[in-house]
Amino acid sequence: MDTILTNAVQSIQIGVEDFQSDDSRRVLSAIRNVTAGILLLFKEKLRLLSPADSDEVLIKQKIQPEFDPNGKVVFRGDGKKTVDVQQIKERFRSLDIDTDWKRFETVVSIRNNIEHYCTTESADHLKELLADSFIIIRNFVSKQLGYEPVELLGEATWNVLLEVAEVYQRTLEECRAATDAIDWDSDTMSNMVGFLRCPKCHSALIKPIDPDAAVVHAIRFSCSSCGQATTIADMAEDAVNECFGYRSYLATKYGEYTPTGTCPECNRETFIIHEDMCAACGASLTYYNCSICGVSLGPDDQGFSGLCGYHDWQSMQED
């Protein structure tokens, strides 16, 4: 087995062993080892695709062009530094290598959160990281590297990952079912709640405490991972960004109207324009058209007392 693949397997195995330890100090070690193991699996794929006698060019940060003995330009890896996450993404994209980057970014986000805000609940939160890691490892090892995961990682390690993933998935399904049962009275809100995460530990294991509250935006939630009590308002900005981020990017790129804006009531970036509603506080617009010219008004125009920006400016000049 190649050194990179051996290191990947050992990192994942050690990470799982750390997870099983009763010593809370080994939580960070588990996180770092599992995440590092996944990155090494990615690098192994690039190593396998590197041409022979290229000094494993695809895993090197620096690539050097040179002539081969036949006078043909070839590319070789230069130096010992290997590719970082962004370079791996770029090379996977150009080589049409498929992996679940969104799930991997979730793993990295959990790792960063626990590293920066390590708490006594981190061991529970690690289960979410392992559950997402399980899916990445399973799919990448079998589809891209051509191994059976249980044979590559060993039965003991694989069974722990499998058990954690199954338990986490059941808990997630219970939380999502409780959240989906709420009458959101809005298709957009119903879709957005799938992106809700705990503002403290960033876990997706969020469930409603009082789902029958008279006002939807007053419903309180509890995190099954760290126990934090929270509200829609505390989670809405990140959820809206996740839900509408790509559409907002395309709108900005092509000069179109963005689907979201700043709420004039709570000042969060959570106003869903086509629903005329703030995902955080439930507010709607007060003014819809300029009282002078009739032009449509958006959330950014609400401070002009029913006027558009131009006529508000004009009225100030007259004063």
Side-chain angles (χ1 to χ4, degrees), residues 87-174:
Q87 289 174 310
I88 293 173
K89 282 185 179 181
E90 292 168 357
R91 293 180 191 184
F92 273 24
R93 188 181 303 116
S94 62
L95 294 168
D96 199 25
I97 300 170
D98 182 46
T99 194
D100 193 340
W101 282 114
K102 185 172 183 180
R103 196 178 296 277
F104 178 74
E105 286 165 1
T106 298
V107 169
V108 172
S109 175
I110 294 171
R111 180 199 64 185
N112 292 343
N113 190 280
I114 297 178
E115 282 190 331
H116 295 148
Y117 307 101
C118 189
T119 67
T120 55
E121 296 88 8
S122 293
D124 290 332
H125 197 194
L126 179 56
K127 294 177 183 177
E128 182 172 358
L129 181 145
L130 286 180
D132 280 318
S133 299
F134 163 81
I135 295 172
I136 298 169
I137 294 167
R138 179 194 65 192
N139 293 342
F140 196 82
V141 166
S142 60
K143 294 179 180 179
Q144 298 296 339
L145 299 180
Y147 289 93
E148 284 296 326
V150 65
E151 294 177 3
L152 184 67
L153 296 175
E155 188 174 348
T157 297
W158 186 246
N159 284 341
V160 172
L161 287 172
L162 183 61
E163 181 181 354
V164 171
E166 289 177 346
V167 171
Y168 173 78
Q169 188 60 36
R170 285 198 300 271
T171 306
L172 179 62
E173 288 172 0
E174 290 171 2

Coordinates of all heavy atoms in Angstrom, one line a residue, residues 87-174:
Q87 N -6.6 23.8 -3.8 CA -6.0 23.2 -4.9 C -6.6 21.8 -5.2 O -6.7 21.5 -6.4 CB -4.5 23.1 -4.7 CG -3.8 24.5 -4.8 CD -2.3 24.4 -4.4 OE1 -1.9 23.8 -3.4 NE2 -1.4 25.0 -5.2
I88 N -6.9 21.1 -4.2 CA -7.5 19.8 -4.4 C -8.9 20.0 -5.1 O -9.2 19.3 -6.1 CB -7.7 19.0 -3.1 CG1 -6.3 18.6 -2.5 CG2 -8.5 17.7 -3.3 CD1 -6.4 18.0 -1.1
K89 N -9.6 20.9 -4.6 CA -10.9 21.2 -5.2 C -10.8 21.6 -6.7 O -11.5 21.1 -7.6 CB -11.6 22.4 -4.5 CG -12.3 22.1 -3.2 CD -13.0 23.3 -2.7 CE -13.7 23.0 -1.4 NZ -14.4 24.2 -0.9
E90 N -9.8 22.4 -7.0 CA -9.6 22.9 -8.4 C -9.2 21.7 -9.3 O -9.7 21.6 -10.4 CB -8.6 24.0 -8.4 CG -9.0 25.3 -7.8 CD -7.9 26.3 -7.6 OE1 -6.7 25.9 -7.9 OE2 -8.2 27.4 -7.1
R91 N -8.3 20.9 -8.8 CA -7.8 19.7 -9.6 C -8.9 18.7 -9.8 O -9.0 18.1 -10.8 CB -6.5 19.2 -9.0 CG -5.4 20.2 -9.2 CD -4.1 19.8 -8.6 NE -3.2 21.0 -8.6 CZ -1.9 21.0 -8.3 NH1 -1.3 19.8 -7.9 NH2 -1.2 22.1 -8.3
F92 N -9.7 18.4 -8.7 CA -10.8 17.5 -8.8 C -11.8 18.0 -9.9 O -12.3 17.2 -10.7 CB -11.5 17.4 -7.5 CG -10.9 16.3 -6.6 CD1 -9.6 15.9 -6.7 CD2 -11.7 15.7 -5.6 CE1 -9.0 14.9 -5.9 CE2 -11.1 14.8 -4.8 CZ -9.8 14.4 -4.9
R93 N -12.1 19.3 -9.9 CA -13.0 19.9 -10.8 C -12.6 19.7 -12.2 O -13.3 19.3 -13.1 CB -13.2 21.4 -10.5 CG -14.4 22.0 -11.3 CD -14.5 23.5 -10.9 NE -14.8 23.7 -9.5 CZ -13.9 24.4 -8.7 NH1 -12.8 24.9 -9.2 NH2 -14.2 24.5 -7.5
S94 N -11.3 20.0 -12.5 CA -10.8 19.9 -13.9 C -10.6 18.5 -14.3 O -10.7 18.2 -15.5 CB -9.4 20.7 -14.0 OG -8.5 20.1 -13.1
L95 N -10.5 17.6 -13.4 CA -10.3 16.2 -13.7 C -11.6 15.4 -13.6 O -11.7 14.2 -13.8 CB -9.3 15.5 -12.8 CG -7.8 16.0 -13.0 CD1 -6.9 15.5 -11.9 CD2 -7.3 15.5 -14.4
D96 N -12.7 16.1 -13.3 CA -14.1 15.5 -13.2 C -14.1 14.4 -12.1 O -14.7 13.4 -12.3 CB -14.5 15.0 -14.5 CG -16.1 14.9 -14.6 OD1 -16.7 15.5 -13.8 OD2 -16.5 14.0 -15.4
I97 N -13.4 14.7 -11.0 CA -13.5 13.7 -9.9 C -14.6 14.1 -8.9 O -14.6 15.3 -8.4 CB -12.1 13.7 -9.1 CG1 -11.0 13.3 -10.1 CG2 -12.2 12.7 -7.9 CD1 -9.6 13.5 -9.5
D98 N -15.5 13.2 -8.7 CA -16.7 13.6 -7.9 C -16.5 13.2 -6.4 O -16.0 12.1 -6.0 CB -17.9 12.8 -8.4 CG -19.1 13.1 -7.6 OD1 -19.4 14.3 -7.4 OD2 -19.9 12.2 -7.3
T99 N -16.7 14.2 -5.5 CA -16.8 13.9 -4.1 C -17.8 14.9 -3.5 O -18.1 16.0 -4.1 CB -15.4 14.0 -3.4 OG1 -15.5 13.5 -2.1 CG2 -14.9 15.5 -3.3
D100 N -18.2 14.7 -2.3 CA -19.2 15.5 -1.6 C -18.5 16.7 -0.9 O -18.3 16.6 0.3 CB -20.0 14.7 -0.6 CG -21.3 15.4 -0.1 OD1 -21.3 16.6 -0.2 OD2 -22.2 14.7 0.3
W101 N -18.2 17.8 -1.6 CA -17.5 18.9 -1.0 C -18.4 19.6 0.0 O -17.8 20.1 1.1 CB -17.1 19.9 -2.1 CG -15.8 19.4 -2.8 CD1 -15.8 19.1 -4.1 CD2 -14.5 19.3 -2.3 NE1 -14.5 18.7 -4.4 CE2 -13.7 18.8 -3.3 CE3 -14.0 19.4 -1.0 CZ2 -12.4 18.5 -3.1 CZ3 -12.6 19.1 -0.8 CH2 -11.8 18.7 -1.9
K102 N -19.7 19.7 -0.2 CA -20.5 20.3 0.8 C -20.5 19.6 2.1 O -20.4 20.2 3.2 CB -21.9 20.4 0.3 CG -22.9 21.2 1.2 CD -24.2 21.4 0.6 CE -25.1 22.3 1.5 NZ -26.4 22.5 0.9
R103 N -20.5 18.3 2.1 CA -20.4 17.5 3.3 C -19.0 17.7 4.0 O -18.9 17.8 5.2 CB -20.7 16.1 3.1 CG -21.1 15.3 4.3 CD -21.4 13.8 4.0 NE -22.6 13.7 3.2 CZ -23.8 13.7 3.7 NH1 -24.0 13.8 5.0 NH2 -24.9 13.6 2.9
F104 N -18.0 17.7 3.1 CA -16.7 17.9 3.7 C -16.5 19.2 4.4 O -15.9 19.4 5.4 CB -15.6 17.7 2.6 CG -14.2 17.9 3.1 CD1 -13.6 16.9 3.8 CD2 -13.5 19.1 2.8 CE1 -12.3 17.1 4.3 CE2 -12.2 19.3 3.3 CZ -11.6 18.3 4.0
E105 N -17.1 20.3 3.8 CA -17.0 21.6 4.4 C -17.8 21.6 5.7 O -17.4 22.4 6.6 CB -17.6 22.6 3.4 CG -16.7 22.9 2.2 CD -17.4 23.6 1.1 OE1 -18.6 23.9 1.2 OE2 -16.7 23.9 0.1
T106 N -18.8 20.8 5.8 CA -19.5 20.7 7.1 C -18.6 20.1 8.1 O -18.5 20.5 9.3 CB -20.8 19.8 7.0 OG1 -21.7 20.4 6.0 CG2 -21.5 19.6 8.3
V107 N -17.8 19.0 7.7 CA -16.9 18.4 8.6 C -15.8 19.4 9.1 O -15.5 19.5 10.3 CB -16.2 17.2 7.9 CG1 -15.0 16.7 8.7 CG2 -17.2 16.1 7.7
V108 N -15.3 20.2 8.2 CA -14.3 21.2 8.5 C -14.9 22.3 9.4 O -14.2 22.7 10.4 CB -13.7 21.8 7.2 CG1 -12.8 23.0 7.6 CG2 -12.9 20.8 6.4
S109 N -16.1 22.7 9.1 CA -16.8 23.7 10.0 C -16.9 23.2 11.4 O -16.7 23.9 12.4 CB -18.2 24.0 9.4 OG -18.8 24.9 10.2
I110 N -17.3 21.9 11.6 CA -17.5 21.3 12.9 C -16.1 21.3 13.6 O -16.0 21.6 14.8 CB -18.1 19.9 12.8 CG1 -19.5 20.0 12.3 CG2 -18.0 19.2 14.2 CD1 -20.1 18.6 12.0
R111 N -15.1 20.8 12.8 CA -13.7 20.8 13.4 C -13.3 22.2 13.9 O -12.8 22.3 15.0 CB -12.7 20.3 12.3 CG -11.3 20.2 12.9 CD -10.3 20.1 11.7 NE -10.3 21.4 11.0 CZ -9.6 21.6 9.8 NH1 -8.9 20.6 9.4 NH2 -9.7 22.7 9.2
N112 N -13.5 23.2 13.1 CA -13.1 24.5 13.4 C -13.8 25.0 14.6 O -13.3 25.6 15.5 CB -13.3 25.5 12.3 CG -12.4 25.2 11.1 OD1 -11.4 24.5 11.2 ND2 -12.7 25.7 9.9
N113 N -15.1 24.7 14.7 CA -16.0 25.2 15.8 C -15.5 24.6 17.1 O -15.4 25.3 18.1 CB -17.4 24.9 15.5 CG -18.4 25.5 16.5 OD1 -18.6 25.1 17.6 ND2 -19.0 26.6 16.1
I114 N -15.2 23.3 17.1 CA -14.8 22.6 18.3 C -13.4 23.0 18.7 O -13.1 23.2 19.9 CB -14.9 21.1 18.2 CG1 -16.4 20.7 17.9 CG2 -14.4 20.4 19.4 CD1 -16.6 19.2 17.7
E115 N -12.6 23.2 17.7 CA -11.2 23.7 18.1 C -11.2 25.0 18.7 O -10.4 25.3 19.6 CB -10.3 23.7 16.8 CG -9.9 22.3 16.4 CD -8.8 22.4 15.3 OE1 -8.9 23.3 14.5 OE2 -8.0 21.4 15.2
H116 N -12.1 25.9 18.2 CA -12.1 27.3 18.8 C -12.9 27.4 20.0 O -12.7 28.3 20.8 CB -12.6 28.3 17.7 CG -11.7 28.3 16.5 ND1 -12.2 28.6 15.2 CD2 -10.4 28.2 16.4 CE1 -11.1 28.6 14.4 NE2 -10.0 28.4 15.1
Y117 N -13.9 26.6 20.2 CA -14.8 26.7 21.3 C -15.0 25.3 22.0 O -16.1 24.8 22.1 CB -16.2 27.2 20.9 CG -16.1 28.5 20.1 CD1 -16.2 28.5 18.7 CD2 -15.9 29.7 20.7 CE1 -16.1 29.7 18.0 CE2 -15.8 30.9 20.0 CZ -15.9 30.9 18.6 OH -15.8 32.0 17.9
C118 N -13.9 24.7 22.3 CA -14.0 23.3 22.9 C -14.7 23.3 24.2 O -14.4 24.1 25.1 CB -12.6 22.8 23.1 SG -12.5 21.1 23.5
T119 N -15.8 22.5 24.3 CA -16.6 22.5 25.5 C -16.8 21.0 25.9 O -16.3 20.1 25.2 CB -18.0 23.1 25.2 OG1 -18.7 22.2 24.3 CG2 -17.9 24.5 24.6
T120 N -17.5 20.8 27.0 CA -17.7 19.4 27.5 C -18.7 18.7 26.5 O -18.7 17.5 26.6 CB -18.3 19.5 28.9 OG1 -19.5 20.3 28.9 CG2 -17.3 20.1 29.9
E121 N -19.4 19.4 25.7 CA -20.3 18.8 24.8 C -19.6 18.3 23.5 O -20.3 17.7 22.6 CB -21.5 19.7 24.4 CG -22.4 20.1 25.5 CD -21.9 21.3 26.2 OE1 -20.9 21.9 25.7 OE2 -22.4 21.7 27.3
S122 N -18.3 18.6 23.3 CA -17.7 18.3 22.0 C -17.7 16.9 21.7 O -17.8 16.5 20.5 CB -16.2 18.8 22.1 OG -16.2 20.2 22.2
A123 N -17.6 16.0 22.7 CA -17.6 14.6 22.4 C -18.9 14.1 21.7 O -18.9 13.3 20.8 CB -17.4 13.8 23.7
D124 N -20.1 14.7 22.1 CA -21.3 14.4 21.5 C -21.4 15.0 20.1 O -21.9 14.4 19.1 CB -22.5 15.0 22.3 CG -22.7 14.2 23.6 OD1 -22.4 13.0 23.6 OD2 -23.2 14.8 24.5
H125 N -20.8 16.2 19.9 CA -20.9 16.8 18.6 C -20.0 16.1 17.6 O -20.2 16.1 16.4 CB -20.4 18.3 18.8 CG -20.7 19.2 17.6 ND1 -20.2 20.4 17.4 CD2 -21.6 19.0 16.6 CE1 -20.6 20.9 16.3 NE2 -21.5 20.1 15.8
L126 N -19.0 15.5 18.1 CA -18.0 14.7 17.3 C -18.8 13.6 16.5 O -18.4 13.2 15.4 CB -16.9 14.1 18.1 CG -15.9 13.2 17.4 CD1 -15.2 14.0 16.3 CD2 -14.8 12.7 18.4
K127 N -19.9 13.1 17.1 CA -20.7 12.1 16.4 C -21.2 12.6 15.0 O -21.2 11.8 14.1 CB -21.9 11.7 17.2 CG -21.4 10.9 18.5 CD -22.6 10.6 19.4 CE -22.2 10.0 20.7 NZ -23.3 9.7 21.6
E128 N -21.5 13.9 14.9 CA -22.0 14.4 13.7 C -20.8 14.5 12.7 O -21.0 14.1 11.5 CB -22.6 15.8 13.9 CG -23.1 16.4 12.6 CD -23.8 17.7 12.8 OE1 -24.0 18.2 14.0 OE2 -24.3 18.3 11.8
L129 N -19.7 14.8 13.2 CA -18.5 14.9 12.3 C -18.2 13.5 11.8 O -17.9 13.3 10.6 CB -17.3 15.4 13.0 CG -16.0 15.5 12.2 CD1 -15.2 16.8 12.7 CD2 -15.1 14.3 12.5
L130 N -18.2 12.5 12.6 CA -18.0 11.1 12.2 C -19.0 10.6 11.3 O -18.7 9.8 10.3 CB -17.9 10.2 13.4 CG -16.6 10.3 14.3 CD1 -16.6 9.3 15.4 CD2 -15.3 10.0 13.4
A131 N -20.3 11.0 11.5 CA -21.4 10.5 10.6 C -21.2 11.1 9.2 O -21.3 10.3 8.2 CB -22.7 11.0 11.2
D132 N -20.9 12.3 9.1 CA -20.6 12.9 7.8 C -19.3 12.3 7.2 O -19.3 12.1 6.0 CB -20.5 14.5 7.9 CG -21.8 15.1 7.9 OD1 -22.7 14.7 7.2 OD2 -22.0 16.1 8.7
S133 N -18.3 12.1 8.0 CA -17.1 11.5 7.5 C -17.3 10.1 7.0 O -16.7 9.8 5.9 CB -16.0 11.5 8.6 OG -15.7 12.8 9.1
F134 N -18.1 9.4 7.6 CA -18.5 8.0 7.2 C -18.9 8.0 5.8 O -18.5 7.2 4.9 CB -19.5 7.4 8.1 CG -20.2 6.2 7.6 CD1 -19.6 5.0 7.7 CD2 -21.5 6.3 7.0 CE1 -20.3 3.8 7.1 CE2 -22.1 5.2 6.5 CZ -21.5 4.0 6.5
I135 N -19.9 8.9 5.4 CA -20.4 9.0 4.1 C -19.4 9.4 3.1 O -19.3 8.8 2.0 CB -21.6 9.9 4.1 CG1 -22.7 9.4 5.0 CG2 -22.1 10.1 2.6 CD1 -23.9 10.3 5.2
I136 N -18.6 10.4 3.4 CA -17.5 10.8 2.5 C -16.5 9.6 2.2 O -16.2 9.3 1.1 CB -16.7 12.0 3.1 CG1 -17.7 13.2 3.2 CG2 -15.5 12.4 2.2 CD1 -17.0 14.3 4.0
I137 N -16.1 9.0 3.3 CA -15.1 7.9 3.2 C -15.7 6.8 2.4 O -15.0 6.2 1.5 CB -14.6 7.5 4.6 CG1 -13.9 8.6 5.3 CG2 -13.8 6.2 4.5 CD1 -13.7 8.3 6.8
R138 N -16.9 6.4 2.8 CA -17.5 5.2 2.1 C -17.6 5.4 0.6 O -17.2 4.6 -0.2 CB -18.9 5.0 2.7 CG -19.7 3.8 2.0 CD -21.2 3.9 2.4 NE -21.8 5.1 1.8 CZ -23.0 5.5 2.2 NH1 -23.7 4.9 3.1 NH2 -23.5 6.6 1.7
N139 N -18.1 6.6 0.2 CA -18.3 6.9 -1.2 C -17.0 7.0 -2.0 O -16.8 6.5 -3.1 CB -19.2 8.1 -1.4 CG -20.6 7.9 -0.9 OD1 -21.0 6.7 -0.8 ND2 -21.3 8.9 -0.7
F140 N -16.0 7.8 -1.4 CA -14.8 8.1 -2.1 C -13.9 6.8 -2.2 O -13.3 6.6 -3.3 CB -14.0 9.2 -1.4 CG -12.9 9.8 -2.2 CD1 -13.3 10.8 -3.1 CD2 -11.6 9.4 -2.1 CE1 -12.3 11.3 -3.9 CE2 -10.6 9.9 -2.9 CZ -11.0 10.9 -3.8
V141 N -13.8 6.1 -1.1 CA -13.0 4.9 -1.2 C -13.5 3.8 -2.2 O -12.7 3.3 -2.9 CB -12.9 4.2 0.3 CG1 -12.4 2.8 0.2 CG2 -12.1 5.1 1.2
S142 N -14.8 3.6 -2.2 CA -15.3 2.6 -3.1 C -15.4 3.1 -4.6 O -15.0 2.4 -5.5 CB -16.7 2.2 -2.7 OG -17.6 3.3 -2.6
K143 N -15.8 4.4 -4.8 CA -16.0 4.9 -6.2 C -14.8 5.4 -6.8 O -14.6 5.3 -8.0 CB -17.1 6.0 -6.1 CG -18.5 5.5 -5.8 CD -19.5 6.6 -5.8 CE -20.9 6.2 -5.4 NZ -21.9 7.3 -5.3
Q144 N -13.9 6.1 -6.0 CA -12.7 6.7 -6.6 C -11.4 5.9 -6.4 O -10.5 6.0 -7.3 CB -12.6 8.1 -6.0 CG -13.7 9.1 -6.3 CD -13.9 9.4 -7.8 OE1 -13.0 9.2 -8.6 NE2 -15.1 9.8 -8.1
L145 N -11.4 5.2 -5.3 CA -10.1 4.4 -5.1 C -10.3 2.9 -5.4 O -9.3 2.2 -5.5 CB -9.6 4.6 -3.6 CG -9.3 6.1 -3.3 CD1 -8.8 6.1 -1.8 CD2 -8.2 6.7 -4.2
G146 N -11.5 2.4 -5.5 CA -11.7 1.1 -5.9 C -11.5 0.0 -4.8 O -11.3 -1.1 -5.1
Y147 N -11.7 0.4 -3.5 CA -11.5 -0.5 -2.4 C -12.9 -0.7 -1.7 O -13.8 0.2 -1.8 CB -10.6 0.1 -1.4 CG -9.1 0.1 -1.8 CD1 -8.5 1.2 -2.3 CD2 -8.3 -1.0 -1.5 CE1 -7.2 1.3 -2.7 CE2 -6.9 -1.0 -1.8 CZ -6.4 0.2 -2.4 OH -5.1 0.2 -2.8
E148 N -13.0 -1.8 -1.1 CA -14.1 -2.0 -0.1 C -13.7 -1.3 1.2 O -12.7 -1.6 1.7 CB -14.4 -3.5 0.1 CG -15.1 -4.2 -1.0 CD -16.5 -3.6 -1.3 OE1 -17.1 -3.2 -0.3 OE2 -16.9 -3.6 -2.4
P149 N -14.5 -0.3 1.7 CA -14.1 0.4 2.9 C -13.8 -0.5 4.1 O -12.8 -0.2 4.8 CB -15.3 1.3 3.1 CG -16.0 1.5 1.8 CD -15.7 0.2 1.1
V150 N -14.6 -1.5 4.3 CA -14.3 -2.4 5.4 C -13.0 -3.1 5.3 O -12.3 -3.3 6.3 CB -15.5 -3.4 5.6 CG1 -15.6 -4.4 4.5 CG2 -15.3 -4.1 7.0
E151 N -12.6 -3.4 4.1 CA -11.3 -4.1 3.9 C -10.1 -3.1 4.1 O -9.1 -3.5 4.6 CB -11.3 -4.8 2.6 CG -12.3 -5.9 2.4 CD -12.3 -6.5 1.0 OE1 -11.4 -6.1 0.2 OE2 -13.1 -7.4 0.8
L152 N -10.3 -1.9 3.6 CA -9.3 -0.9 3.7 C -9.0 -0.4 5.1 O -7.9 -0.4 5.6 CB -9.6 0.3 2.8 CG -8.5 1.4 2.7 CD1 -7.3 0.8 2.0 CD2 -9.0 2.6 1.9
L153 N -10.1 -0.1 5.8 CA -10.0 0.5 7.1 C -10.0 -0.6 8.3 O -9.6 -0.2 9.4 CB -11.2 1.4 7.4 CG -11.3 2.6 6.5 CD1 -12.6 3.4 6.8 CD2 -10.1 3.5 6.7
G154 N -10.4 -1.8 8.0 CA -10.5 -2.8 9.0 C -11.9 -2.8 9.6 O -12.6 -1.8 9.7
E155 N -12.3 -4.0 10.0 CA -13.6 -4.2 10.5 C -13.9 -3.4 11.7 O -15.0 -2.9 11.9 CB -13.8 -5.7 10.8 CG -15.3 -6.1 11.1 CD -15.5 -7.6 11.2 OE1 -14.6 -8.3 10.8 OE2 -16.6 -8.0 11.7
A156 N -13.0 -3.3 12.7 CA -13.2 -2.6 13.9 C -13.5 -1.1 13.7 O -14.5 -0.6 14.2 CB -12.0 -2.8 14.9
T157 N -12.7 -0.5 12.9 CA -12.9 0.9 12.6 C -14.2 1.1 11.8 O -14.9 2.1 12.1 CB -11.7 1.5 11.8 OG1 -10.5 1.4 12.6 CG2 -11.9 2.9 11.4
W158 N -14.4 0.3 10.8 CA -15.6 0.5 10.0 C -16.9 0.3 10.7 O -17.8 1.0 10.6 CB -15.5 -0.5 8.8 CG -16.6 -0.3 7.8 CD1 -17.6 -1.1 7.5 CD2 -16.8 0.9 7.0 NE1 -18.5 -0.6 6.6 CE2 -18.0 0.7 6.2 CE3 -16.1 2.1 6.9 CZ2 -18.5 1.6 5.3 CZ3 -16.6 3.0 6.0 CH2 -17.8 2.8 5.2
N159 N -16.9 -0.6 11.6 CA -18.1 -0.9 12.4 C -18.4 0.3 13.3 O -19.6 0.6 13.5 CB -18.0 -2.2 13.2 CG -18.1 -3.4 12.4 OD1 -18.7 -3.3 11.3 ND2 -17.7 -4.5 12.9
V160 N -17.4 0.9 13.9 CA -17.6 2.1 14.7 C -18.2 3.2 13.9 O -19.2 3.9 14.3 CB -16.3 2.6 15.4 CG1 -16.6 3.9 16.1 CG2 -15.9 1.6 16.4
L161 N -17.6 3.5 12.7 CA -18.2 4.6 11.8 C -19.6 4.2 11.4 O -20.4 5.1 11.4 CB -17.3 4.7 10.6 CG -15.9 5.3 10.8 CD1 -15.0 5.2 9.5 CD2 -16.0 6.8 11.2
L162 N -19.8 3.0 11.1 CA -21.2 2.6 10.7 C -22.2 2.8 11.8 O -23.3 3.3 11.5 CB -21.2 1.1 10.2 CG -22.5 0.5 9.7 CD1 -22.9 1.3 8.4 CD2 -22.3 -0.9 9.4
E163 N -21.9 2.4 13.0 CA -22.8 2.5 14.1 C -23.1 4.0 14.4 O -24.2 4.4 14.6 CB -22.2 1.8 15.3 CG -23.1 1.9 16.5 CD -22.5 1.2 17.8 OE1 -21.4 0.6 17.6 OE2 -23.1 1.4 18.9
V164 N -22.0 4.8 14.4 CA -22.2 6.2 14.7 C -23.1 6.9 13.7 O -24.0 7.7 14.0 CB -20.9 7.0 14.8 CG1 -21.1 8.5 14.9 CG2 -20.1 6.5 16.0
A165 N -22.8 6.5 12.4 CA -23.6 7.1 11.3 C -25.1 6.7 11.4 O -26.0 7.6 11.1 CB -23.0 6.7 9.9
E166 N -25.4 5.5 11.7 CA -26.8 5.0 11.8 C -27.5 5.7 13.0 O -28.6 6.1 12.8 CB -26.8 3.5 12.0 CG -26.4 2.8 10.7 CD -26.4 1.3 11.0 OE1 -26.4 0.8 12.1 OE2 -26.3 0.5 9.9
V167 N -26.8 5.8 14.1 CA -27.4 6.5 15.3 C -27.7 8.0 15.0 O -28.8 8.5 15.3 CB -26.5 6.4 16.5 CG1 -27.1 7.3 17.7 CG2 -26.5 4.9 17.0
Y168 N -26.7 8.6 14.4 CA -26.8 10.0 14.0 C -28.0 10.3 13.1 O -28.8 11.2 13.2 CB -25.5 10.6 13.4 CG -25.7 12.0 12.9 CD1 -25.7 13.1 13.8 CD2 -25.9 12.2 11.6 CE1 -25.9 14.4 13.3 CE2 -26.0 13.5 11.1 CZ -26.0 14.6 12.0 OH -26.2 15.9 11.5
Q169 N -28.0 9.4 12.0 CA -29.1 9.5 11.0 C -30.5 9.4 11.6 O -31.4 10.2 11.3 CB -28.9 8.5 9.9 CG -29.8 8.7 8.7 CD -29.6 10.0 8.0 OE1 -28.5 10.6 8.0 NE2 -30.7 10.6 7.6
R170 N -30.6 8.5 12.6 CA -31.9 8.3 13.2 C -32.3 9.6 14.0 O -33.5 10.0 14.0 CB -31.9 7.1 14.1 CG -32.0 5.8 13.4 CD -32.4 4.6 14.4 NE -31.5 4.5 15.5 CZ -30.4 3.7 15.5 NH1 -30.2 3.0 14.4 NH2 -29.7 3.6 16.5
T171 N -31.3 10.1 14.7 CA -31.6 11.3 15.5 C -31.9 12.5 14.6 O -32.8 13.3 14.9 CB -30.3 11.7 16.4 OG1 -30.0 10.6 17.2 CG2 -30.6 12.9 17.3
L172 N -31.2 12.6 13.5 CA -31.4 13.7 12.5 C -32.8 13.6 11.9 O -33.6 14.6 11.8 CB -30.4 13.7 11.4 CG -30.5 14.7 10.3 CD1 -30.4 16.2 10.9 CD2 -29.5 14.5 9.2
E173 N -33.2 12.4 11.6 CA -34.6 12.2 11.0 C -35.7 12.5 12.0 O -36.7 13.1 11.7 CB -34.7 10.7 10.6 CG -33.9 10.4 9.3 CD -33.9 8.9 9.0 OE1 -34.5 8.1 9.8 OE2 -33.3 8.5 8.0
E174 N -35.4 12.2 13.3 CA -36.4 12.6 14.3 C -36.5 14.1 14.5 O -37.6 14.7 14.6 CB -36.0 12.0 15.7 CG -36.2 10.5 15.7 CD -35.5 9.9 17.0 OE1 -35.0 10.7 17.8 OE2 -35.6 8.6 17.1

